[in-house]
Every structure is written in structure tokens, then in C-alpha cells.
Amino acid sequence: MRLDWIIAILFCIEYCIRLWVSPLDGRYGKGIRGIVNYVLSPLAMVDVIAILPTFLGIISPELYTLRVFRLVRIGKIGRSRRFKEGLYYFNQAIKSKIQELQISATYTLMLVLLSSTFMYLTESKVQPELFGSIPRCIWWAIMTVTTVGYGDAIPVTGLGKVIASATALMGIGVIAIPVGILAAGFSESFRKKRIENEKIVQQENSVDSVGR
């Protein structure tokens, strides 16, 4: 509770400092107008939403749970240069490998559908409460393929165990293939960006040499 108030006070101090210096920023204008424009800006509203829940808790303890909205300040990370570069590389990696990712998604879908269908045919009569419908078998297949394995549905017949084993082994590729594809996409994105930067530097050097 005390830490909560310390954090809220620090947020208030930061917000007041931002209000004080906002007229110095040409984007908002000068004087009172600059302060008002800053208060109405999206980033300032995020700050208010993050600070307000703590003080609302004084009015009513039930409103204190609104402090979860303080997490919206995490969105300010998006302003950082490194975060934007990371999003750029991630977007480029997906774009460059979209066909491979589609093939991987198709493989995953086919594996889930086939394994759930075979499991339904094998276990539905033995365990109708667990494998008595295709949707229940799909749930089991997804848990097995993703290696989550809650253990709420387990085959008991020999053939069912064989199907479960094959599904688990083939499910390794469901995680490994997309990871490898994205890793290759990231590597290509970094390489292309580095080549572009080198070309820009070479052009600037050539222009400087001609100017001299």
C-alpha cells in the first residue's frame, strides 16, 4: 500500500513537470494554450489514467481496483527507438516468410484434425465422457501438439496410446518450424537493413568526395 502511494506520487511529480515544460515544446504552443493542448494529448491522458485510480481509492475502496489501468503506461514503451526498430524487424520477418508460415499453419491444422479424428474413432466408445465428440478430441489434440499436456484426457487403449505418441512427436514440429522460420526472417531483415545502411554511408561518402 505504501509502495503504491510512493509510485502514485512519483507519477504526479512527473506529470506536473511535464505540464510545466509543455509550453517549451513547439508542438503544443506557448503559455496556457500549450499546457491545455498537452493535457488533451493522448500521451498525457495515458498518464492521467495511470495516476487517477490510486486517488479514487480514497473515495471508495472498490474503485481502488482500477489501479490496474496503471499498466497502460507500458504503452509508452512504444515511443522508444529500440521498440520501434524491434517492431520493424518483426514485421519484416513475418512479411518475408508469410508463405512458409502459412504452410506451417496448414501442417498444424491438419495434424490437429487428423489426430483428433483418429482419437475419436479409437477412444470414443471406451471413454465417451472424455473423447465422446470431435470438439473434445480437438481439445486433447491441441494440448498434446502444443506440449501443454494438462492430463485431463488420457487414452487408455493401445491404439489410442500409439496415436497420442505419434501426435506428440509430430507436434514438436508445430513449435520448432515456425521458430526456425521467424529466426531466418529476422536474420534476413537485419542483413537487408545493414546493407541499406552501408549503401547510404557509401552514397554520403561519395557525395562528400565530389564536393571536395
Side-chain angles (χ1 to χ4, degrees):
M1 184 70 176
R2 184 175 299 176
L3 180 61
D4 232 16
W5 275 103
I6 293 174
I7 294 174
I9 292 172
L10 291 176
F11 281 178
C12 286
I13 294 173
E14 181 199 11
Y15 184 75
C16 292
I17 293 174
R18 289 181 181 275
L19 286 179
W20 180 260
V21 301
S22 58
L24 302 178
D25 193 333
R27 294 178 298 173
Y28 303 110
K30 298 181 179 180
I32 301 299
R33 182 181 179 183
I35 295 176
V36 173
N37 289 336
Y38 173 75
V39 170
L40 297 177
S41 65
L43 291 176
M45 291 181 179
V46 167
D47 289 335
V48 172
I49 293 173
I51 297 170
L52 197 59
T54 301
F55 297 99
L56 289 177
I58 300 175
I59 302 173
S60 173
E62 295 179 357
L63 296 176
Y64 193 70
T65 56
L66 294 175
R67 61 184 177 174
V68 69
F69 285 104
R70 189 177 298 162
L71 295 175
V72 298
R73 286 180 66 91
I74 297 175
K76 296 181 71 174
I77 297 176
R79 299 175 62 190
S80 66
R81 181 171 174 269
R82 291 181 179 273
F83 185 79
K84 291 179 180 178
E85 287 183 354
L87 285 180
Y88 169 80
Y89 289 126
F90 184 74
N91 187 40
Q92 290 298 114
I94 292 179
K95 283 184 177 180
S96 62
K97 298 296 182 180
I98 188 65
Q99 292 183 347
E100 291 87 343
L101 290 173
Q102 288 175 348
I103 295 173
S104 176
T106 303
Y107 167 78
T108 302
L109 181 62
M110 293 299 297
L111 177 60
V112 169
L113 291 178
L114 290 175
S115 61
S116 59
T117 301
F118 290 146
M119 189 59 69
Y120 171 76
L121 297 174
T122 305
E123 297 282 333
S124 59
K125 294 181 180 180
V126 181
Q127 301 185 81
E129 69 283 357
L130 298 178
F131 298 96
S133 65
I134 293 294
R136 292 178 183 176
C137 294
I138 289 176
W139 164 258
W140 167 85
I142 293 174
M143 293 303 101
T144 304
V145 165
T146 57
T147 69
V148 174
Y150 284 132
D152 54 343
I154 303 173
V156 294
T157 64
L159 183 57
K161 292 180 179 180
V162 171
I163 295 173
S165 300
T167 302
L169 291 174
M170 296 177 69
I172 296 174
V174 170
I175 305 299
I177 293 174
V179 169
I181 292 172
L182 288 175
F186 271 108
S187 179
E188 291 179 4
S189 298
F190 280 114
R191 185 170 61 254
K192 289 180 181 179
K193 189 66 174 179
R194 185 172 64 251
I195 293 174
E196 291 177 0
N197 292 335
E198 291 176 354
K199 288 182 179 179
I200 292 173
V201 172
Q202 291 176 358
Q203 290 176 356
E204 291 177 352
N205 292 335
S206 62
V207 171
D208 291 339
S209 62
V210 171
R212 292 175 184 175

